[in-house]
Amino acid sequence: MKKVFFSNSGAEANECAIKAARQWGENKKGLHHATIVTLTDSFHGRTLTTLAATGQDHYHHQYLPLTPGFVYAETNNAADLESKVIANQCCAIMIEVIQGEGGVKSLTPEFISAVARIARENNLLVIVDEIQTGNGRTGKLYGYMNFDLQPDIVTTAKGLAGGLPLGATLLGERVKDVFTPGSHGSTFGGNPVCCAGALNVLSRIDDDLLRSVTEKSEWIIQQLKENSGVKSISGMGLMLGIDPVKPVAAVLKACAEKGVLVLSAKNKVRLLPPLTIEWDQLKKAIEILGDCLSV
Ligand SMILES: Cc1ncc(COP(=O)(O)O)c(C=O)c1O
């Protein structure tokens, strides 16, 4: 990646990516090449435009009308993606490599290769939303690095500054010069306090930390996969989704009563522990989770 624009949240990082893609579309393909194809079950933020980018109806209906120019293709269905691209005047395809809010659902390597091919054949940008999957979460610096994919735009936030509000939109070779002075901006974006936080976080995401993320992930899967209350486990690194036999709300409640806070995503129990979680805490938490899941 060649340039970065700093903002204050994930949604703002995606807004910047969408503006960059539309500006690129207008420059390279003509005024109306503004449509962005996103995926069903995606989640891209809570502003009106990033809600429009989000391919889940239930996030939409209270807030209509949303920003136009988004079309949704079925996740992991390359034929559907290709037909949506061909039927619209597009500038980009936008994906998460693992859909967090959408149920910790991984894109298949075959589908990710198809995204790259369809973008190449139709002269489109690939935007990867790494707001949840970035900064070591999957065991690589960015989630896309687990696959054979070179995105044109990568967005990240969440863990980037360790809890301080910072979003980043990384622009690759094809889009690095789309913004000219004054065409995009932010008062607080790139402020020194949040950037100091990010410098510290990034200095600690080294090979040892990434290895420990993978090790902890494998250990968690090992502990839970034979549990009588677990149907399957999805995700990567320390972003895992457990499909429970019991209703997910019951598992969350039982865990909370025993001092372990876990999230849900659709029908899954979602685990997103700190990458630096100590082994003794992890062991305690997984023991409690295992008890609460089992039937
Ligand atoms: C994949 C993804 N994109 C975008 C967002 C929005 O980020 P933020 O809440 O920082 O605006 C989130 C988080 O909620 C997310 O998980």
Side-chain angles (χ1 to χ4, degrees):
M1 309 312 287
K2 301 295 180 196
K3 287 189 180 170
V4 58
F5 179 84
F6 289 113
S7 52
N8 311 284
S9 67
E12 277 180 84
N14 280 342
E15 290 268 349
C16 173
I18 291 162
K19 284 174 76 173
R22 289 192 170 163
Q23 179 70 72
W24 177 88
E26 183 178 322
N27 292 353
K28 302 286 180 190
K29 304 181 71 174
L31 186 57
H32 299 295
H33 287 83
T35 300
I36 298 177
V37 184
T38 68
L39 301 178
T40 54
D41 288 334
S42 58
F43 185 80
H44 296 298
R46 295 172 181 84
T47 61
L48 287 173
T49 299
T50 55
L51 274 179
T54 294
Q56 302 191 58
D57 261 356
H58 70 97
Y59 282 110
H60 292 170
H61 51 77
Q62 312 91 306
Y63 307 115
L64 300 174
L66 302 175
T67 308
F70 294 93
V71 168
Y72 315 111
E74 194 188 334
T75 295
N76 287 330
N77 182 338
D80 191 43
L81 177 65
E82 194 151 20
S83 75
K84 297 281 161 51
V85 161
I86 289 167
N88 293 279
Q89 292 188 308
C90 298
C91 59
I93 301 168
M94 183 169 183
I95 60 170
E96 298 149 90
V97 291
I98 306 172
Q99 297 176 327
E101 300 283 324
V104 198
K105 193 194 274 180
S106 295
L107 302 195
T108 62
E110 297 73 28
F111 182 72
I112 290 180
S113 298
V115 168
R117 175 185 59 76
I118 293 165
R120 194 172 53 245
E121 290 175 359
N122 294 277
N123 190 23
L124 304 176
L125 300 174
V126 176
I127 304 171
V128 182
D129 176 339
E130 295 265 4
I131 286 155
Q132 201 165 126
T133 49
N135 309 299
R137 176 60 53 190
T138 69
K140 302 267 187 200
L141 181 58
Y142 291 106
Y144 79 83
M145 293 170 172
N146 293 289
F147 301 92
D148 184 18
L149 179 71
Q150 177 54 59
D152 299 294
I153 304 177
V154 173
T155 58
T156 193
K158 283 203 196 291
L160 177 60
L164 295 173
L166 185 68
T169 308
L170 307 162
L171 302 168
E173 187 62 42
R174 295 167 82 199
V175 277
K176 68 181 189 333
D177 296 321
V178 289
F179 290 131
T180 49
S183 58
H184 191 53
S186 165
T187 299
F188 295 126
N191 72 74
V193 173
C194 295
C195 286
L199 283 173
N200 182 280
V201 167
L202 290 171
S203 75
R204 293 159 65 191
I205 304 179
D206 54 14
D207 288 345
D208 285 347
L209 181 101
L210 294 174
R211 226 181 344 262
S212 80
V213 168
T214 304
E215 236 173 79
K216 286 170 184 167
S217 175
E218 286 168 356
W219 182 82
I220 295 170
I221 294 169
Q222 196 61 36
Q223 296 304 302
L224 296 179
K225 71 176 187 204
E226 307 295 348
N227 187 301
S228 59
V230 173
K231 291 194 236 169
S232 62
I233 303 177
S234 61
M236 226 182 237
L238 289 177
M239 179 174 179
L240 295 172
I242 298 157
D243 191 0
V245 173
K246 290 182 191 167
V248 65
V251 178
L252 262 55
K253 187 164 176 283
C255 283
E257 279 165 5
K258 294 184 174 170
V260 175
L261 298 177
V262 286
L263 291 165
S264 64
K266 297 213 182 285
N267 60 340
K268 303 261 183 77
V269 176
R270 179 162 48 149
L271 304 185
L272 288 162
L275 307 187
T276 52
I277 189 168
E278 298 289 345
W279 275 101
D280 60 337
Q281 280 208 322
L282 183 62
K283 285 181 178 162
K284 227 189 259 177
I286 295 299
E287 194 184 322
I288 291 171
L289 175 62
D291 287 347
C292 296
L293 281 163
S294 71
V295 288

